[in-house]
Amino acid sequence: MKLVTTIAQLRQELKALGRKDKTLGLVPTMGYLHEGHQSLIRKAKEQNDLVVVSDFVNPTQFGSNEDYDKYPRDIDRDCKAAEEAGADIVFHPDASEIYVPGASTEVEVKGETTHKLCGASRPIHFKGVTTIVCTLFHIVQPDRAYFGQKDAQQVVVVKKMVRDLHIPVKIVPCPIVREADGLAKSSRNIYLTPEQHQQALSLSRGLQKARDFFAGSTADHTSAEKLKKVIRQEISAQPLSDIEYVEVVDTDTLDKIEKIEPGKRALAAVAVRFGSTRLIDNTILGGKENV
């Protein structure tokens, strides 16, 4: 496994590995890799000859009051984790390598898709995401790119960008990976105190209760409002929780729905703060979870 820090080094290494005649998978990350990232790398290695992992804490997707400066970073740890999972290259550029002096070009998916859910409280976030992802696609030129379903809105937004701009990359969403106790894996979990961690388990419990309720036979088991109430009750019972949103929306458009129609699928999504730590989680209702 090779660590490279510049675009020139990346292209030289890909050439040396025979990229011209091989398929290439990209796993975009912000580093501090955990088992969730490793699952993406393994899936990429299953489906491609070569795998590049980008390890870059992107400044343009953080708001002024967010945790860019303290976001966890450990490139030695990341390289070890990436190599264990089968990566061929870790691309770890400096911000000045990505955003050249005088850079003023942004890529933005406009409309409600980026302004709801996480976009409602983080107005610049998805513009930063699509700008860096589009940039990485141009730099790496992968055949496939792998994203975790925990960031379900990000997957929808990136898919729309790829479609709208005719970018020749297949987006591969991958299942959420959880701690043994059910908490969705996240680099931000290290910020939680033991008490916050225990109360944060209410996210996965609430989503499970929604799945159980949806699978039941009550007259209102498909009602989005009732499903949201089930989730909210579980999370709000935790005194340290500060709910940002609980929503049940269309899986493809993220539009709000009144009920889950027969044969259809919906996304139940939550964002909750415990102290200064913001956690997100979701599940699919009406079909196999995380597909």
Side-chain angles (χ1 to χ4, degrees):
M1 198 278 300
K2 187 85 169 185
L3 171 65
V4 300
T5 59
T6 70
I7 297 169
Q9 290 173 343
L10 173 66
R11 289 173 175 164
Q12 182 179 12
E13 189 63 25
L14 286 172
K15 184 178 180 180
L17 291 171
R19 164 65 178 110
K20 184 177 179 181
D21 301 313
K22 296 179 179 179
T23 56
L24 174 61
L26 170 65
V27 181
T29 83
M30 291 210 301
Y32 213 72
L33 303 187
H34 50 65
E35 289 89 340
H37 298 109
Q38 288 184 306
S39 71
L40 302 181
I41 298 168
R42 292 188 188 99
K43 175 58 70 173
K45 195 63 177 178
E46 286 176 12
Q47 298 183 343
N48 302 275
D49 300 311
L50 300 173
V51 175
V52 172
V53 176
S54 62
D55 188 309
F56 178 64
V57 183
N58 177 37
T60 67
Q61 66 192 70
F62 288 80
S64 58
N65 297 319
E66 295 182 333
D67 59 350
Y68 173 73
D69 289 333
K70 68 174 185 176
Y71 195 86
R73 297 163 170 86
D74 189 337
I75 188 59
D76 293 335
R77 174 182 179 275
D78 290 348
C79 285
K80 181 179 179 181
E83 185 171 25
E84 287 176 354
D88 297 284
I89 299 173
V90 171
F91 178 45
H92 179 57
D94 186 78
S96 61
E97 179 75 7
I98 298 298
Y99 299 107
V100 298
S104 59
T105 301
E106 298 172 324
V107 178
E108 181 178 10
V109 173
K110 294 184 176 181
E112 285 302 307
T113 303
T114 55
H115 294 158
K116 58 186 69 172
L117 301 180
C118 291
S121 64
R122 307 181 75 193
I124 71 166
H125 174 70
F126 287 110
K127 182 164 62 175
V129 168
T130 45
T131 297
I132 184 58
V133 171
C134 187
T135 300
L136 288 170
F137 285 172
H138 283 293
I139 292 170
V140 181
Q141 298 184 4
D143 298 290
R144 302 178 183 90
Y146 297 78
F147 295 85
Q149 181 63 23
K150 181 174 73 70
D151 298 292
Q153 186 175 13
Q154 176 176 269
V155 173
V156 171
V157 170
V158 170
K159 280 184 173 181
K160 181 167 174 49
M161 177 191 73
V162 165
R163 186 200 67 182
D164 291 354
L165 298 182
H166 305 280
I167 302 174
V169 178
K170 178 177 174 58
I171 303 303
V172 184
C174 297
I176 297 172
V177 175
R178 299 183 179 277
E179 308 274 3
D181 57 16
L183 186 66
K185 290 276 188 180
S186 170
S187 300
R188 290 185 169 94
N189 289 351
I190 64 169
Y191 299 151
L192 297 170
T193 67
E195 185 178 12
Q196 289 171 337
H197 184 112
Q198 284 301 309
Q199 294 194 24
L201 302 182
S202 61
L203 275 67
S204 57
R205 287 200 306 267
L207 292 169
Q208 180 59 58
K209 287 188 175 182
R211 289 195 295 272
D212 293 342
F213 183 82
F214 178 76
S217 56
T218 61
D220 58 355
H221 75 107
T222 64
S223 163
E225 285 301 320
K226 182 62 178 179
L227 289 161
K228 288 190 288 185
K229 183 177 180 181
V230 169
I231 300 168
R232 187 175 286 274
Q233 284 180 334
E234 179 65 29
I235 298 172
S236 62
Q238 310 305 312
L240 299 180
S241 68
D242 180 11
I243 297 175
E244 181 178 308
Y245 67 76
V246 173
E247 294 290 352
V248 175
V249 298
D250 182 273
T251 54
D252 298 319
T253 65
L254 306 182
D255 290 340
K256 290 186 178 182
I257 58 175
E258 292 185 4
K259 65 178 182 178
I260 304 174
E261 300 291 346
K264 301 293 186 179
R265 301 161 71 240
L267 176 75
V270 302
V272 184
R273 288 187 182 275
F274 291 88
S276 61
T277 304
R278 182 179 184 274
L279 302 178
I280 59 174
D281 202 349
N282 66 78
T283 192
I284 299 295
L285 300 174
K288 188 177 179 181
E289 183 184 6
N290 300 329
V291 173

